[in-house]
Amino acid sequence: MRNKKFITILSGLIVSSLFLSGCKEKNDSSIEKTAERPSVTVGVMEIKPSDMEDYIEFGGSVNAVDTVSVLPNVSGKVAAILVEAGDKVQKNQIIAKIDPSKPGAEFALSPVKASASGTVTAVFPSVGAYVTTSSAVAEVSSTDRLEIKINVSERFVSLIKMNQIAEVTFKSYPDEKFNGEVIKVSPILDPVTRTLQVILNIKDSKNIIKSGMFAHEKLTTEQKKDILALPNRSILYNLGKPFVYQVVEKGGDATASKVEVETGLSVDGMTEIKNGISDGMKIIVKGQNLVSDGQKVKSIAE
């Protein structure tokens, strides 16, 4: 009986020894596998302060600030039109003639004079047409001062303020950028379209912008100076929490180190990092999905 008990205990010790030996070999193998994990080549960006602007985009038509309608003094048929759109005129210059005569009577032609100096932007009637004293014969505009009217959707109304700056571009001049500024904001919304009319002044037309052109505006709504920002693609998430990988260099080796961050404004593929990184840190911006915390890496500047 005693021998049988001894054999049972001995068998248990042998099994335990084999189990522990197997665990040790498994752990050794895991450690060895981690140590032998190959390094990954990644693209890195050194963090430096930069500026960031948020904006909203609109489209609108260019109009002359000063536009006057030229009206005839008498009713009658248009006998002659002496100008066409694009012509420069001086105040009191004759631009058309009206024949006020009626059947059986003769009258001298009545001149129509420009009421202001500027550029003729529109001519309405044709020769032979009948006009009255309330019919505009032409429009004369001062093309030196131009403005853009835009209609802002109700959801953006809270972002619009006087003196806001806008970048203005035109399809006709794709390589040119113009500066605009909000000079008027309507106090009410259009009840039908639910939009707010906003007028921007073009500071310098460079003598190439024309009334009637369609403009594209990027209206700045928020500006941030000297902030730290990263490409959106470099930011990873774990359970909704954002993090990035920093490259830490020590003793000739480089490893990826996980860093939790707090994000802020996001514009044009870049995101502001409020907390977690500092000036001069090297952050992985390419290949970050292929690394894990503590893994060796080979970095290439992006």
Side-chain angles (χ1 to χ4, degrees):
M1 186 73 176
R2 182 179 295 175
N3 290 338
K4 185 176 181 181
K5 185 176 181 181
F6 175 76
I7 292 171
T8 301
I9 293 171
L10 181 61
S11 298
L13 290 172
I14 293 171
V15 171
S16 298
S17 177
L18 291 172
F19 176 76
L20 291 173
S21 176
C23 288
K24 184 176 184 301
E25 289 178 3
K26 184 177 181 180
N27 289 337
D28 290 346
S29 175
S30 178
I31 293 171
E32 184 180 353
K33 185 177 180 181
T34 300
E36 294 177 353
R37 186 168 50 182
S39 62
V40 177
T41 300
V42 295
V44 300
M45 184 178 84
E46 184 174 345
I47 302 301
K48 294 180 180 179
S50 61
D51 299 337
M52 184 176 284
E53 292 184 347
D54 198 7
Y55 60 86
I56 45 181
E57 298 181 279
F58 300 99
S61 296
V62 177
N63 300 286
V65 174
D66 301 315
T67 299
V68 295
S69 296
V70 182
L71 305 175
N73 293 321
V74 296
S75 298
K77 290 183 178 181
V78 178
I81 296 176
L82 307 177
V83 296
E84 58 184 22
D87 287 350
K88 298 279 188 181
V89 295
Q90 299 297 319
K91 185 177 181 179
N92 294 323
Q93 179 179 332
I94 298 175
I95 64 172
K97 292 183 179 181
I98 305 297
D99 180 2
S101 64
K102 296 180 181 179
E106 291 186 4
F107 294 87
L109 296 179
S110 175
V112 180
K113 298 180 180 181
S115 50
S117 299
T119 302
V120 177
T121 52
V123 176
F124 298 111
S126 56
V127 173
Y130 185 85
V131 295
T132 67
T133 54
S134 60
S135 304
V137 173
E139 276 188 352
V140 176
S141 303
S142 174
T143 53
D144 294 333
R145 296 176 59 204
L146 300 173
E147 63 184 19
I148 302 171
K149 293 181 180 180
I150 60 175
N151 294 313
V152 178
S153 176
E154 185 175 3
R155 65 193 178 106
F156 294 126
V157 167
S158 62
L159 302 175
I160 305 301
K161 298 178 180 62
M162 287 290 292
N163 306 121
Q164 274 180 296
I165 301 301
E167 179 185 280
V168 184
T169 56
F170 298 87
K171 285 187 177 180
S172 303
Y173 307 104
D175 298 326
E176 296 280 352
K177 293 181 179 179
F178 302 84
N179 294 322
E181 181 182 2
V182 175
I183 58 171
K184 292 180 183 178
V185 179
S186 174
I188 60 173
L189 269 70
D190 185 306
V192 177
T193 62
R194 295 293 177 186
T195 58
L196 181 76
Q197 188 177 83
V198 177
I199 297 179
L200 287 77
N201 168 253
I202 301 177
K203 293 186 176 182
D204 180 11
S205 68
K206 302 180 183 179
N207 295 321
I208 59 176
I209 301 176
K210 302 182 184 301
S211 180
M213 278 183 154
F214 185 80
H216 178 263
E217 305 87 28
K218 291 172 64 174
L219 188 63
T220 301
T221 57
E222 185 177 3
Q223 289 181 311
K224 293 195 173 185
K225 301 286 186 180
D226 295 327
I227 65 169
L228 302 180
L230 287 171
N232 293 348
R233 68 179 188 275
S234 67
I235 304 171
L236 304 174
Y237 293 86
N238 182 23
L239 300 177
K241 295 182 178 180
F243 69 93
V244 297
Y245 282 114
Q246 173 193 6
V247 172
V248 178
E249 298 175 342
K250 186 177 180 181
D253 293 328
T255 57
S257 177
K258 181 179 177 181
V259 179
E260 292 187 353
V261 296
E262 179 186 355
T263 58
L265 181 65
S266 185
V267 180
D268 293 338
M270 297 292 289
T271 296
E272 173 192 10
I273 305 298
K274 292 183 175 181
N275 289 303
I277 64 174
S278 58
D279 187 5
M281 288 177 63
K282 293 181 179 179
I283 303 299
I284 298 177
V285 296
K286 188 175 182 180
Q288 65 277 4
N289 293 305
L290 305 176
V291 302
S292 57
D293 193 24
Q295 185 172 359
K296 289 185 177 181
V297 294
K298 294 179 181 178
S299 61
I300 299 175
E302 286 286 309

